[in-house]
Amino acid sequence: MELDAASYGVRYPRGGFGRVRRRLLEQCEKVGVRVRTGVAVTRVEVTQEGGEAGESGAAATGVRIVDGDGSESSFAADIVLCNADLPAAEEALLPPHLSRADKLRSAASSSSVLSLSFALDAQFADALAHHTIVFAEDLGQAPWESLFGARRASSFLPVAAAPTWAPGHFYVHCPTRTDPTAAPA
């Protein structure tokens, strides 16, 4: 968890993050934004009058897409937003002379995650909080140090006792503790 989340708390939208997406879509459409779904972006179109990516003169001007039926098209855009992995996006979507993918890949990155979603027909009462972090027992009092070296973040987080079978640290997200509508009907 990031320091700000650990220090100030994590917000969770009632109805889940899908509701945030739906409301954002509604608000965009209200002001005339055309949203395309079910398409693949294959390239970000750029104009470059000098400089490298991110410097004065290089600007995104639109995108090229492939529709579900395989047809290609391009359209201009005042702003291009991308929420994909940055090195992969720059390599796949920008012209090679503008991509910083190699430089970005060599930078230090955060831990990756394997996410599993379960819909269970059981109640866990007080066993789980909305966010539960479990540290492996064999790491003693230094769970964060095992991940991040000398940086100290453990004093910011509530820590649950690890079961003896725990192979490593793990995190459990149980949104129904805050929002009962998150449970399957």
Side-chain angles (χ1 to χ4, degrees):
M1 298 181 81
E2 302 86 11
L3 179 59
D4 62 334
S7 300
Y8 304 109
V10 176
R11 306 292 186 246
Y12 178 81
R14 295 207 185 270
F17 283 95
R19 184 170 183 217
V20 172
R21 183 197 56 80
R22 288 187 300 276
R23 292 300 307 261
L24 180 60
L25 176 61
E26 289 170 11
Q27 295 303 309
C28 286
E29 289 175 338
K30 273 186 186 177
V31 297
V33 174
R34 181 175 177 216
V35 177
R36 301 278 307 264
T37 60
V39 301
V41 175
T42 58
R43 185 171 62 219
V44 173
E45 303 288 355
V46 297
T47 297
Q48 186 180 10
E49 297 176 5
E52 296 295 319
E55 293 180 6
S56 177
T61 58
V63 294
R64 175 169 283 287
I65 62 170
V66 175
D67 282 308
D69 64 4
S71 61
E72 292 187 37
S73 58
S74 293
F75 59 92
D78 296 326
I79 298 171
V80 175
L81 300 174
C82 180
N83 191 32
D85 174 70
L86 188 58
E90 287 212 8
E91 182 174 56
L93 303 177
L94 290 179
H97 69 282
L98 293 177
S99 174
R100 301 167 299 160
D102 289 338
K103 181 179 178 182
L104 293 167
R105 279 198 185 88
S106 66
S109 60
S110 62
S111 302
S112 61
V113 65
L114 169 65
S115 179
L116 304 172
S117 297
F118 297 97
L120 305 173
D121 62 355
Q123 297 292 319
F124 292 97
D126 295 326
L128 295 173
H130 186 109
H131 300 283
T132 303
I133 300 171
V134 180
F135 294 117
E137 260 186 343
D138 63 340
L139 298 173
Q141 296 298 314
W144 284 103
E145 286 78 0
S146 71
L147 293 174
F148 302 111
R151 290 186 281 174
R152 300 252 327 148
S154 58
S155 61
F156 297 104
L157 300 172
V159 179
T164 57
W165 51 265
H169 310 313
F170 65 94
Y171 161 78
V172 178
H173 179 222
C174 185
T176 55
R177 298 294 291 168
T178 303
D179 180 9
T181 69

